[in-house]
Amino acid sequence: MMNNAELGFGGSADEVESTLRFNQDLLAESGPHLDNDEQAAIDALPSGSALLIVQRGPNQGSRFLLDQDVTTVGRHPNADIFLDDVTVSRRHAEFLRAGKSFEVKDLASLNGTYFNGSRIDGATLENGSEVQVGKFRMTFYASKHDLAKGE
């Protein structure tokens, strides 16, 4: 009977480690996949605005425009971004715009607000940042006009 190396499977520990590292690097670089409509929406953003796209959780694929100085997020029906799930507090978080930059601020929510996987009270958003509110994982996309100017 032939072993895995003779069959072309596996190989040395160095080869396996290199492949694993390559796969992890590739996944890290790829980020969330955007369809043509999502990319077109991002490309059309005017300066001083941004877009949140729900990547995981209820309402996956939903898009939320950030074009105000304060955008509220929560389970309250009057929230600017209404997220109807018990994991979201009624007044959960706010997205704040200062010029062409944005930050997210937790409003002492029960389950917290997460920025790139870490629970935060507040954080400055960068293009591609991930924000989690309850079960909703959203990716932040800044206007291409603002990125070109170095924010």
Side-chain angles (χ1 to χ4, degrees):
M1 181 166 215
M2 298 175 77
N3 67 29
N4 282 343
E6 293 170 320
L7 291 171
F9 300 114
S12 73
D14 289 338
E15 289 174 25
V16 172
E17 177 61 29
S18 295
T19 302
L20 180 62
R21 190 172 43 251
F22 173 76
N23 286 340
Q24 289 171 338
D25 291 345
L26 185 62
L27 286 172
E29 289 175 10
S30 66
H33 174 72
L34 298 172
D35 66 28
N36 291 338
D37 289 340
E38 291 169 335
Q39 189 61 57
I42 293 165
D43 292 343
L45 286 171
S47 180
S49 64
L51 194 66
L52 289 172
I53 300 178
V54 179
Q55 301 296 334
R56 282 192 237 147
N59 300 353
Q60 184 173 348
S62 295
R63 293 179 246 171
F64 300 106
L65 180 64
L66 301 177
D67 64 349
Q68 306 174 78
D69 290 338
V70 178
T71 303
T72 59
V73 180
R75 197 168 27 95
H76 192 282
N78 292 336
D80 297 316
I81 298 176
F82 174 61
L83 300 177
D84 191 16
D85 190 86
V86 296
T87 61
V88 177
S89 296
R90 291 174 62 75
R91 288 183 23 89
H92 198 104
E94 291 177 334
F95 288 92
L96 307 170
R97 177 178 66 178
K100 296 176 183 174
S101 66
F102 288 84
E103 66 179 71
V104 61
K105 178 182 172 190
D106 184 72
L107 299 176
S109 63
L110 180 63
N111 291 319
T113 300
Y114 292 80
F115 171 76
N116 292 337
S118 299
R119 189 169 181 160
I120 52 96
D121 290 326
T124 300
L125 298 169
E126 297 174 2
N127 197 51
S129 296
E130 182 183 271
V131 176
Q132 182 171 343
V133 174
K135 293 180 182 176
F136 298 83
R137 279 196 180 176
M138 301 171 280
T139 304
F140 172 85
Y141 296 97
S143 167
K144 300 283 184 189
H145 301 288
D146 299 336
L147 293 174
K149 296 175 185 171
E151 298 179 312

